[in-house]
Amino acid sequence: MKLAKCRHHDLQIDIPLFSDIAEEHNRIVGAKTFYKTVQGLYNLALFHQRIGIRIVVHKQTYKRLPQFADYIYHNFPFVAQVAFMQMETTGLAKENFDQLWIDPYDYNTELREAVLLLADRGMKPYIYNAQLCVLPEDIRRYAQQSISDWKDIYIPECEGCVLRGQCGGFFESNRNAHSSHIKKVKHISSDILC
Ligand code: SF4
């Protein structure tokens, strides 16, 4: 209610959720926050606030992405967008690297299913921090250039890639922790990007 009273003309509140299962979310966060977060989402919706959901994809969250997307569709149909975010390896993510890191290529099946499930049902899925050459072609259109300029880099493998202008690149902190499937794209074969 306090937030709504600000009547900000251009505000979106992006809220992280880590699982559709309360115990899983709480285990990953390290605190019992699942139901508080769900209640917060409903409170914001009640006051007509613009809400986004953020899902950091890593070794402990990727397997249930399709079920998670289905849960969001059924329980939070009012959200403006759902962002699937590739992990930035700083802070706690760096400290727990072995427990969290998975090559983004290895969760493409689950990511694709989740993104298309939401898109097919009229919701707005986005993919943040991803590299276009790693993503399946039919979901590249959902990728955003989401990495802030000051920490956005390309690596030597990107030299000569035709998608470099559209691809979001890499976090500086992921210079040595990136997919082993980075490969420059030589031709744009279809209008898969929009
Ligand atoms: S080679 Fe580099 S610039 Fe090209 S799509 Fe892959 S990550 Fe992006």
Side-chain angles (χ1 to χ4, degrees), residues 15-29:
I15 298 177
L17 259 186
F18 290 88
S19 177
D20 56 319
I21 299 174
E23 290 74 19
E24 274 297 291
H25 170 96
N26 293 343
R27 186 183 61 76
I28 293 167
V29 174

Side-chain angles (χ1 to χ4, degrees), residues 6-186:
C6 295
R7 294 185 183 279
H8 197 288
H9 71 285
D10 185 22
L11 176 67
Q12 176 173 309
I13 302 154
D14 284 337
I15 298 177
L17 259 186
F18 290 88
S19 177
D20 56 319
I21 299 174
E23 290 74 19
E24 274 297 291
H25 170 96
N26 293 343
R27 186 183 61 76
I28 293 167
V29 174
K32 291 185 176 179
T33 60
F34 182 80
Y35 288 113
K36 283 184 188 169
T37 307
V38 168
Q39 190 58 57
L41 282 159
Y42 286 131
N43 287 347
L44 288 166
L46 195 63
F47 288 96
H48 306 290
Q49 299 302 290
R50 189 178 167 87
I51 310 161
I53 291 182
R54 292 191 160 197
I55 300 165
V56 182
V57 186
H58 53 59
K59 200 190 267 181
Q60 300 189 21
T61 59
Y62 81 93
K63 283 185 187 162
R64 288 190 63 83
L65 289 182
Q67 293 91 337
F68 198 179
D70 194 48
Y71 172 82
I72 289 169
Y73 169 72
H74 285 290
N75 291 282
F76 313 120
F78 45 79
V79 298
Q81 67 175 67
V82 180
F84 296 91
M85 307 175 66
Q86 192 181 115
M87 187 178 81
E88 181 179 9
T89 53
T90 54
L92 285 173
K94 194 175 176 184
E95 282 173 32
N96 298 289
F97 185 81
D98 289 342
Q99 286 78 44
L100 299 175
W101 170 256
I102 174 175
D103 188 318
Y105 180 85
D106 293 334
Y107 58 67
N108 269 341
T109 301
E110 291 82 1
L111 178 65
R112 179 177 178 276
E113 194 178 332
V115 165
L116 295 181
L117 181 149
L118 291 172
D120 289 348
R121 296 178 185 183
M123 295 189 76
K124 272 198 177 169
Y126 290 114
I127 303 168
Y128 284 5
N129 317 334
Q131 297 73 45
L132 293 177
C133 56
V134 178
L135 290 174
E137 290 193 0
D138 60 351
I139 58 168
R140 286 181 186 173
R141 69 185 63 211
Y142 300 103
Q144 301 289 301
Q145 290 189 307
S146 49
I147 301 176
S148 307
D149 287 349
W150 61 274
K151 53 181 175 180
D152 193 12
I153 61 160
Y154 290 96
I155 59 175
E157 288 91 325
C158 303
E159 219 38 65
C161 175
V162 294
L163 293 181
R164 188 165 165 151
Q166 295 143 300
C167 176
F170 303 80
F171 285 112
E172 219 287 326
S173 57
N174 286 42
R175 187 183 291 277
N176 298 315
H178 57 72
S179 173
S180 58
H181 294 263
I182 303 299
K183 192 175 176 195
K184 76 176 176 188
V185 178
K186 293 179 183 163

